[in-house]
Amino acid sequence: MAKHQFQTEVGQLLHLMTHSLYSNKEIFIRELVSNASDAIDKLNYLKLTDDEIKSKLPADWSGEINIAFDEADKSLTIVDNGVGMNQEDLIASIGTIAKSGTKSFVEALTGDAKKDSNLIGQFGVGFYSVFMVADNVDVISKKAGEEQAYKWSSNGSGEFEIIPVTKESAGTVIYIKLKDEEAEEFASKHRIENIVGKYSDHIAYPIFLNYSEEVEEELSEEDKKAGKEAKKTTEKRHEQINKATALWTQPKSKIKEEEYNDFYKSISHDSQDPLATIHTKAEGVNEYTTLFYIPKTAPMDMYRADYQPGVKLYVKRVFITDDDKELLPTYLRFVRGIIDSEDLPLNVSREILQENRILANIKQASVKKILSEIKKLSKDEEKYKEFIEQYNRALKEGAYQDFTNKDKLLELIRFKSTKTEKDAMTSLEKYKENADSEQKAIFYIVGENEKVLRNSPLLEAYKKNDIEVLILDDKEIDEIVTPMYAAYKEWEFKDITSCEAPKVEQTEEEKKEVEEKFEDITKKIKDILGEAVADVKVTNRLSESPSCVVKDAGDAQMAQMAQMMKAMGQEMPETAPILEINPDHEIVKKLNGCADDKMIDDVSWVLLDQAKLSEGMEITDAVSFAQRLSRITAKAL
C-alpha cells in the first residue's frame, strides 16, 4: 500500500474545502459529472482514431455516466466509462495542482476561510470540491488500453494512498462517503435530479440515476374488501435524468437564457452567469457552429504563461481537444465555449490544426464575431464598464498583436484622460470628437501612478491649450504596446514625454532670445549634472513648475525595449533624460544671475531630482537630495 503526501498547494485547498463556510456545496456534483464527461470525450476520440483502443472496446460501446446513492450507507457513487487513469495520472491529476487555473486559485487564498470560501463561487476547483461534503473518497480507475486498475483513497487531511485493484472495463468509479450532516441532503433522489437538471442537463452523454425504490402492489377492490394486505417489494430503478443533447446543435430560438447560462457554468466551472453569450451557426464554404461566452470575472490564470485555454474543439459533435491555444488569439484567452466543425477530419493532429486552412477561416470569423458582440456590449454603459474592468488590458494586447483588427480593438479600449473624472474613462472616438479641429494627434503619458501622472509638469502646456491627454497608468503593458499602435484613423499617437510641446504664444525670434539669455546657465547645469542627463534646455512647455524631464524619440524606443526586457526578467541600463528648465520660473531666473557656484550646484541637482519625482521616477541619491534641499532652505531663511 503506497502512501503519498499531497502537494502543499493541494493541502491548502483541501483545508479550505473541509473547513469551508461556502454555502453552494452542490457544485461538487457538477464538477465530478463534468470531469466524467471530459473522460468520455477523450475515449470517444481515441475510439475513432486509435485502432488498438478501438479493438479493446465492446462493439456497442457508447459513453454514459451513472450516479447511485445509498441512504443507509450515507454514500454517493459516480461512474463513467471514459478514458480512465493509471497510477501516474492519479498522482498528477489529484495529488498535485495540475492546472494553472487551480494554482492561481490557491495563490489567491487569503487564509480567511470566510473570504476564501467566496472564491469557490468564482472558480470551480474540480475534483477537490468533493471534500466539502465527504468524509472519505475512493477513486477506482482503469486506463483504456491498460490491464491494471488502481484505487486512490483519501480523507482529505494530508495524504492519500494508491493500491492496485481489479476492474473489468476502462473508466472511473468515485465512491463518496458523505459526512453525516451532508448525507440526508445529497443521498437523495430528488436532490440529485435537481442538481443534474440545473448544471448538467446538456452534458452530451446520458446521465443515469440508479436507486432502489419500495413499491407496494395495487390491490383490487375485492382483495381490499377481503382484508388482504398489499405486498411491498424493492425494485431497482435506472432512469436517465438529463437531455443528453449538445446545446450548441439546437436552434437559438429554442434555447432559453437559463439553459445557455447553465451550459456555460458546466463547461467553465463558474458559478456566475456570463456577461455575454455568442451563438453562431455558419453554413456555406465551411460549415461549423460556435458557442462562445464572455465571463463576468476574468479567469484567475489569465495572466499566467501556462493559462488553460477555455475553448473546446469538436468535429461533428466528437470532442477533439480542450488544450489548443491556437483556436483563438491569445488576447481572447478569457473567452469560454466550443467550436464544432463539420469539415475537419476526425483524426486531425495538433500539428495539422495549427496549419489547417478550415480552422484558420473559423478562427478569423470567430474573432470578427466576438469583437462585433463586444462592440454591441459597449452600447450598454453599465455592462461595458464591467467588461472593461476585467478585459481592457487584454484588448490592449490585441491592438498590439492583431494588425488586421487593430482599429476595431482600439475602438473598444477605454482610457483615463485629463478630461475624465475619477473612475470614468473615454474612447478614442470621443477623444477625437472633443479635440480642436486643427489637432491631428492623440497625446498620452505613461507611468505607474495615476495621481502622479495627473500632476505631471509635462501636462501644463496641454492644459493651457485645452488639449486632452490620455493617462496610461499600467506602465508594464502601456509602455510596450502604445507606441506600436502608431495611429488611429490617421491620428498619430504621441508620447508627451518625447514630442514637442503644443504651440504657445512665442515667435521664433523670442524663443531664440530666451535661449541666448539662458545659454550660460543651461551649459553650467549640463556640466554639473554630467552623464545624469542627455541634455539641458530651456522650455516653453511649463507654466508653473521650474523643471521637467523628457526623452527624445530615440530614447523613447530604448525605454520601450527596456520595459520589454524587464518583463522577460532582464535589466537594461536606464537612458539619461533631457532636463528642461522654465525660464519664467523664479528659481530659474534667480539661478541665472547667481554667482554662488555651490548654490548653482545644489539647485541644479534639485531641479533634476524634483523633476524626476514629479514623473514618479526614482532619484539616484535620496540622501544627497535631502542634504541639498536642507542647505538651500537654510540659506533662504
Side-chain angles (χ1 to χ4, degrees):
M1 189 177 286
K3 288 203 173 185
H4 305 263
Q5 286 293 318
F6 279 112
Q7 185 189 22
T8 307
E9 291 94 333
V10 178
Q12 287 176 264
L13 191 52
L14 292 174
H15 180 80
L16 171 60
M17 290 304 173
T18 51
H19 299 85
S20 175
L21 303 175
Y22 185 60
S23 59
N24 196 19
K25 294 178 180 180
E26 64 186 31
I27 64 157
F28 84 93
I29 292 180
R30 177 193 76 185
E31 299 290 306
L32 297 183
V33 168
S34 179
N35 289 348
S37 174
D38 289 345
I40 298 169
D41 273 340
K42 286 168 185 170
L43 185 54
N44 198 25
Y45 175 62
L46 291 173
K47 173 179 174 270
L48 296 164
T49 57
D50 188 320
D51 290 336
E52 188 181 344
I53 295 291
K54 184 180 179 180
S55 67
K56 292 183 179 180
L57 287 174
D60 61 348
W61 179 91
S62 64
E64 64 177 59
I65 299 165
N66 280 275
I67 301 176
F69 66 90
D70 188 325
E71 292 177 74
D73 186 45
K74 296 180 180 177
S75 66
L76 191 66
T77 306
I78 298 176
V79 183
D80 70 69
N81 61 344
V83 71
M85 295 175 279
N86 58 22
Q87 184 168 356
E88 290 73 28
D89 295 330
L90 286 164
I91 293 172
S93 299
I94 308 179
T96 60
I97 295 288
K99 292 187 177 181
S100 60
T102 314
K103 187 173 279 188
S104 297
F105 173 86
V106 174
E107 287 170 357
L109 299 182
T110 63
D112 181 330
K114 208 166 202 173
K115 289 179 184 175
D116 291 341
S117 64
N118 293 328
L119 286 170
I120 304 168
Q122 296 172 27
F123 183 86
V125 284
F127 173 82
Y128 307 112
S129 61
V130 73
F131 285 103
M132 290 192 290
V133 298
D135 262 340
N136 198 79
V137 180
D138 293 333
V139 180
I140 300 159
S141 195
K142 182 180 180 181
K143 191 166 187 174
E146 297 186 11
E147 295 301 319
Q148 185 61 60
Y150 294 91
K151 177 180 165 185
W152 178 101
S153 299
S154 178
N155 61 7
S157 55
E159 59 183 25
F160 59 92
E161 58 187 33
I162 297 179
I163 58 170
V165 293
T166 303
K167 188 178 185 298
E168 278 189 30
S169 55
T172 301
V173 177
I174 302 176
Y175 169 79
I176 305 154
K177 185 71 173 176
L178 296 164
K179 294 175 181 174
D180 287 343
E181 63 271 24
E182 311 294 350
E184 187 177 343
E185 181 179 358
F186 295 109
S188 154
K189 174 179 179 289
H190 175 73
R191 191 74 171 99
I192 294 166
E193 283 178 334
N194 179 268
I195 295 167
V196 170
K198 184 176 177 181
Y199 296 115
S200 310
D201 203 33
H202 296 291
I203 291 285
Y205 304 102
I207 301 170
F208 294 103
L209 184 59
N210 301 272
Y211 61 96
S212 297
E213 187 174 56
E214 191 174 68
V215 179
E216 189 175 291
E217 71 168 325
E218 283 191 25
L219 296 176
S220 65
E221 286 302 317
E222 291 79 6
D223 287 339
K224 286 179 183 176
K225 286 175 182 177
K228 186 178 178 183
E229 283 191 20
K231 288 181 183 177
K232 291 181 181 178
T233 55
T234 301
E235 294 183 4
K236 290 187 176 179
R237 303 289 193 212
H238 178 71
E239 296 173 358
Q240 185 170 332
I241 55 174
N242 71 322
K243 290 178 182 173
T245 305
L247 182 78
W248 63 88
T249 62
Q250 298 176 39
K252 286 196 275 186
S253 58
K254 291 189 177 178
I255 305 173
K256 296 174 185 172
E257 184 182 359
E258 189 181 350
E259 291 177 301
Y260 274 127
N261 293 347
D262 289 342
F263 181 70
Y264 162 72
K265 290 170 185 174
S266 76
I267 62 168
S268 68
H269 310 294
D270 193 351
S271 67
Q272 300 181 93
D273 290 337
L275 195 62
T277 301
I278 310 159
H279 191 182
T280 308
K281 188 171 178 63
E283 293 172 339
V285 180
N286 298 130
E287 193 175 334
Y288 62 88
T289 302
T290 58
L291 176 52
F292 297 127
Y293 296 95
I294 297 173
K296 267 188 183 171
T297 306
M300 285 194 171
D301 60 345
M302 187 164 162
Y303 294 106
R304 296 181 68 101
D306 60 343
Y307 71 89
Q308 188 72 17
V311 176
K312 297 183 178 189
L313 175 66
Y314 289 79
V315 174
K316 297 182 180 75
R317 265 68 65 211
V318 176
F319 171 79
I320 303 297
T321 181
D322 61 356
D323 197 29
D324 195 329
K325 295 183 177 180
E326 301 296 320
L327 296 177
L328 286 178
T330 55
Y331 68 89
L332 291 177
R333 59 190 175 274
F334 56 86
V335 172
R336 297 293 180 253
I338 62 96
I339 294 172
D340 190 352
S341 168
E342 295 292 325
D343 308 311
L344 284 167
L346 279 169
N347 60 348
V348 66
S349 69
R350 187 181 295 272
E351 291 72 27
I352 293 171
L353 276 178
Q354 290 174 7
E355 299 168 9
N356 188 277
R357 188 178 295 176
I358 295 169
L359 201 60
N361 291 341
I362 294 173
K363 179 178 179 178
Q364 188 178 7
S366 296
V367 171
K368 191 176 176 183
K369 184 67 178 172
I370 292 166
L371 295 183
S372 170
E373 288 297 322
I374 294 173
K375 188 173 182 179
K376 282 184 194 174
L377 195 67
S378 70
K379 309 294 181 197
D380 183 329
E381 283 191 23
E382 281 306 307
K383 266 195 171 185
Y384 202 62
K385 188 180 179 185
E386 281 185 66
F387 174 85
I388 285 299
E389 282 172 0
Q390 299 296 320
Y391 305 116
N392 207 33
R393 200 180 200 207
L395 296 181
K396 289 179 183 181
E397 286 178 39
Y400 170 75
Q401 295 168 0
D402 187 351
F403 183 77
T404 307
N405 295 296
K406 187 189 85 168
D407 274 2
K408 286 181 184 174
L409 284 154
L410 286 174
E411 276 181 26
L412 298 171
I413 297 167
R414 295 293 180 263
F415 302 88
K416 296 172 186 173
S417 89
T418 50
K419 291 191 177 180
T420 61
E421 295 176 4
K422 190 182 178 185
D423 297 329
M425 300 182 98
T426 190
S427 66
L428 293 180
E429 207 56 50
K430 275 190 183 174
Y431 180 95
K432 286 182 72 179
E433 285 172 14
N434 295 338
D436 185 281
S437 57
E438 292 180 22
Q439 186 181 331
K440 295 297 175 191
I442 296 165
F443 296 101
Y444 68 90
I445 183 170
V446 180
E448 292 175 345
N449 185 300
E450 181 185 350
K451 189 175 179 182
V452 169
L453 291 176
R454 287 189 182 278
N455 292 305
S456 168
L458 296 173
L459 292 173
E460 289 173 13
Y462 294 88
K463 287 175 182 174
K464 192 174 182 180
N465 286 277
D466 195 32
I467 294 173
E468 187 172 13
V469 178
L470 301 180
I471 306 291
L472 308 182
D473 59 348
D474 191 356
K475 186 178 180 182
E476 190 177 43
I477 184 169
D478 288 328
E479 195 163 61
I480 296 171
V481 303
T482 314
M484 302 303 289
Y485 298 158
Y488 170 69
K489 294 186 178 178
E490 298 180 356
W491 281 40
E492 187 182 350
F493 281 86
K494 287 190 175 181
D495 182 348
I496 68 167
T497 65
S498 60
C499 70
E500 287 291 321
K503 63 181 181 180
V504 289
E505 294 169 6
Q506 187 182 43
T507 64
E508 281 300 315
E509 290 77 16
E510 286 172 332
K511 186 179 176 185
K512 192 174 180 183
E513 189 183 324
V514 171
E515 285 173 354
E516 285 174 357
K517 184 179 178 182
F518 287 86
E519 185 178 2
D520 288 343
I521 193 63
T522 53
K523 189 178 183 305
K524 272 185 185 178
I525 295 171
K526 174 72 178 82
D527 290 341
I528 290 165
L529 300 179
E531 291 183 359
V533 291
D535 201 359
V536 179
K537 300 176 182 178
V538 288
T539 186
N540 56 18
R541 76 168 79 231
L542 298 171
S543 54
E544 297 173 12
S545 304
S547 61
C548 66
V549 285
V550 297
K551 47 185 184 274
D552 64 33
D555 290 341
Q557 290 179 345
M558 286 300 290
Q560 182 189 353
M561 181 63 71
Q563 191 67 18
M564 290 174 75
M565 297 297 282
K566 187 179 178 182
M568 294 186 285
Q570 299 177 38
E571 292 294 330
M572 278 183 70
E574 283 191 23
T575 310
I578 296 167
L579 177 66
E580 293 190 349
I581 55 173
N582 178 5
D584 295 325
H585 198 282
E586 192 178 355
I587 290 175
V588 176
K589 284 179 181 176
K590 286 184 176 179
L591 194 65
N592 194 32
C594 183
D596 184 342
D597 288 342
K598 184 63 183 168
M599 176 63 83
I600 295 172
D601 189 295
D602 280 345
V603 174
S604 297
W605 280 104
V606 168
L607 285 173
L608 174 62
D609 287 343
Q610 180 181 297
K612 279 185 166 185
L613 288 170
S614 296
E615 298 306 319
M617 298 166 67
E618 288 185 13
I619 56 176
T620 332
D621 189 342
V623 174
S624 296
F625 172 71
Q627 289 172 344
R628 289 182 185 114
L629 210 54
S630 297
R631 286 196 293 268
I632 294 167
T633 306
K635 284 188 178 182
L637 291 171

